[in-house]
Amino acid sequence: MTAVTASLSDDQRAILSLWYEVNASLSAYHKLVTSYGNAQLAWQATVEAWKQLGLHHTHLKRHEQPDQTRASIDKIQQALVDSRYSLLFADQPDYPIQLLQIYDPPPLLFFRGNSARLHQAQIAIVGSRKPTAHAQKITFDMAQYLAQSGYIITSGLAIGVDKRAHLGALAQTDQDYQGRTIGVMGTGIDVNYPNHRDQLFAQIVDQGGCIISELLPHTQPHKHTFPRRNRLVAGLSLATIVTEATIKSGSLITARLTSEQGKQVFAIPSHIDNSNAEGCHHLIREGATLIYHPEQVLEDVNAQLDYDNRSYNASSATTDLSNDQPAISHSPKVSSEGSDVEKSHSRSLSTANNQQKPSNIKSTRSAPVIPEHLTAIYEQLDWHGQDLDALIVATKLEPSQLIGQLMELELMGIISVQGGRYLRV
């Protein structure tokens, strides 16, 4: 990996200096780099020249104090030397390709942990900060299942659904599947938010996952920082699953951004009187894919990857006769960072458009063979689980006969019992 761990080049210090002086404002940063061609020239420009661009007065005030800026960058460099966190810049080959294709890619990413996770196939799971117990279990099981199937689970490190998604991905007995999660922060990389979240952060990093932030160190949570985090969650992932969310949940922002990026949104339904799931029902009404088992996610995402590969291979074989250059089916968005990033786009174009389904991702699992006398009871079961009373009503079997058949299915490894509910494995 070529991530910055200690020394910073002059170009990188200039990028950091601009990022510090505009207080991580994407619009101001890109306006400066677009106007001057690169970060060094932009940072060397006078305050009067910045005023002509209509920048905010707080940015101008910081630009008037270059010594303070240098001191702040020196602190960041010392933190890199001390391995408190690391840095990736958008013109580096190790910067995640998929973020270069969103509308407003961050010029840099602070990270802790295994940055290789950023290049692996990811599925986002998001939802309510106050989920029901049922939604917490579904989220955990969904994340665990998808991680075991080879995907990385990406979420926003919030309490509730986000936390259960990360923990589900981390709950792997097979060492090869541990650490399959990425947490995107809505604060600085060194800020533990929500409170007491340091244990989860440490678990993610220690098990081989990764935590990232585009914001400067020490940045505290603010209502504007979380939508920014959400766009990165959506941008990194192939698809987004909303397991439970209210109609005003920030998860719906992630879902909208996912859809705007041309990716699939999945939503899990609930009872119609569950106000905590009203956001999911709204998404389904608006066209999100209704799911009730993670295998449905795998089928759609794997099929999309296969389709993209076929489309890319077909387009690569087609030649634009006007300039004798291969036609490209999906051109990446050109960042306003200038030529260095454009070169990075060019280097990574074929990789981005020819994204292969990871070799360790399991295809659709074969259906179990059910003995004929157990078929009726098995068909009554689902992934959510049914309690014994509900099964007695549905099957009209005597309790002793029903329990015997359930025990047979459990011994075959086809079903399991969790919290008094019987569900398919």
Side-chain angles (χ1 to χ4, degrees):
M1 305 295 289
T2 58
V4 177
T5 55
S7 60
L8 294 167
S9 68
D10 291 342
D11 286 340
Q12 291 166 348
R13 286 186 66 91
I15 291 170
L16 272 170
S17 297
L18 275 192
W19 198 234
Y20 167 79
E21 291 187 352
V22 301
N23 197 24
S25 166
L26 287 158
S27 59
Y29 178 88
H30 289 310
K31 179 183 287 187
L32 284 164
V33 173
T34 300
S35 299
Y36 291 97
N38 61 56
Q40 285 209 59
L41 292 176
W43 191 62
Q44 292 167 2
T46 64
V47 175
E48 288 301 318
W50 278 32
K51 283 183 180 179
Q52 299 302 314
L53 297 177
L55 298 180
H56 196 273
H57 68 88
T58 58
H59 305 337
L60 300 176
K61 185 175 181 180
R62 285 194 176 196
H63 194 49
E64 290 174 342
Q65 302 172 320
D67 289 341
Q68 184 174 325
T69 299
R70 293 188 185 95
S72 297
I73 305 311
D74 287 342
K75 289 180 180 178
I76 291 175
Q77 178 152 331
Q78 186 59 52
L80 297 173
V81 172
D82 296 339
S83 299
R84 280 179 268 164
Y85 48 75
S86 299
L87 257 174
L88 279 173
F89 290 87
D91 60 354
Q92 291 182 295
D94 289 338
Y95 186 92
I97 294 166
Q98 58 272 40
L99 289 188
L100 293 175
Q101 297 178 321
I102 68 175
Y103 173 73
D104 50 358
L108 52 86
L109 290 173
F110 295 90
F111 73 91
R112 293 168 54 196
N114 180 11
S115 63
R117 296 296 186 203
L118 297 169
H119 305 281
Q120 296 174 306
Q122 300 167 49
I123 295 176
I125 299 181
V126 297
S128 172
R129 283 180 167 82
K130 297 180 180 180
T132 61
H134 184 55
Q136 291 185 51
K137 181 183 183 306
I138 288 176
T139 302
F140 185 95
D141 292 348
M142 183 85 66
Q144 185 178 41
Y145 191 105
L146 294 173
Q148 287 174 349
S149 298
Y151 282 97
I152 307 302
I153 304 303
T154 300
S155 197
L157 291 167
I159 59 175
V161 163
D162 288 14
K163 180 181 178 180
R164 299 302 294 173
H166 292 303
L167 290 176
L170 293 170
Q172 308 296 328
T173 55
D174 188 336
Q175 192 167 0
D176 292 338
Y177 291 94
Q178 290 186 354
R180 291 181 170 270
T181 191
I182 293 171
V184 184
M185 303 180 71
T187 64
I189 192 69
D190 53 354
V191 176
N192 287 331
Y193 178 85
N195 292 335
H196 312 300
R197 203 52 11 125
D198 49 338
Q199 184 176 352
L200 176 61
F201 294 171
Q203 186 177 355
I204 291 173
V205 172
D206 292 345
Q207 289 191 20
C210 187
I211 297 171
I212 67 168
S213 175
E214 67 177 322
L215 302 172
L216 290 159
H218 311 308
T219 300
Q220 296 300 310
H222 189 273
K223 63 180 181 180
H224 298 303
T225 61
F226 295 108
R228 292 182 60 159
R229 173 204 61 185
N230 295 344
R231 94 184 191 289
L232 296 185
V233 171
L236 286 166
S237 306
L238 294 166
T240 294
I241 303 169
V242 185
T243 57
E244 187 178 71
T246 62
I247 197 68
K248 294 184 179 181
S249 170
S251 303
L252 268 65
I253 296 176
T254 308
R256 175 178 59 78
L257 294 169
T258 300
S259 181
E260 289 175 356
Q261 293 170 15
K263 303 170 184 176
Q264 194 164 0
V265 177
F266 300 95
I268 296 177
S270 183
H271 302 296
I272 60 174
D273 57 353
N274 179 8
S275 60
N276 223 34
E278 191 175 353
C280 289
H281 296 155
H282 172 76
L283 290 173
I284 293 168
R285 182 177 173 83
E286 293 296 309
T289 303
L290 184 154
I291 57 167
Y292 51 86
H293 194 288
E295 193 65 42
Q296 296 159 339
V297 177
L298 292 178
E299 289 172 0
D300 284 8
V301 173
N302 290 350
Q304 184 60 45
L305 283 175
D306 290 339
Y307 175 81
D308 288 345
N309 290 334
R310 289 195 301 272
S311 298
Y312 173 74
N313 291 334
S315 67
S316 296
T318 305
T319 302
D320 184 346
L321 298 179
S322 64
N323 57 13
D324 201 30
Q325 294 294 322
I328 301 297
S329 58
H330 304 287
S331 299
K333 299 184 184 297
V334 177
S335 166
S336 55
E337 272 197 75
S339 59
D340 288 341
V341 172
E342 290 174 16
K343 291 175 185 177
S344 175
H345 281 207
S346 177
R347 278 199 312 270
S348 59
L349 181 59
S350 61
T351 304
N353 286 321
N354 197 24
Q355 186 174 14
Q356 298 291 333
K357 183 167 61 182
S359 58
N360 60 350
I361 290 181
K362 303 170 187 175
S363 59
T364 304
R365 302 182 182 188
S366 58
V369 178
I370 309 298
E372 186 175 348
H373 71 287
L374 300 176
T375 301
I377 179 63
Y378 182 78
E379 289 178 348
Q380 294 296 327
L381 298 173
D382 56 23
W383 185 65
H384 298 296
Q386 305 284 334
D387 62 30
L388 197 59
D389 290 339
L391 289 172
I392 289 173
V393 172
T395 63
K396 296 180 172 56
L397 294 174
E398 292 295 324
S400 59
Q401 185 182 4
L402 176 61
I403 291 171
Q405 291 189 8
L406 289 170
M407 187 175 296
E408 282 189 68
L409 290 169
E410 188 177 1
L411 290 172
M412 293 172 64
I414 295 172
I415 70 169
S416 66
V417 187
Q418 297 180 11
R421 299 174 71 87
Y422 295 84
L423 62 155
R424 297 185 185 187
V425 174

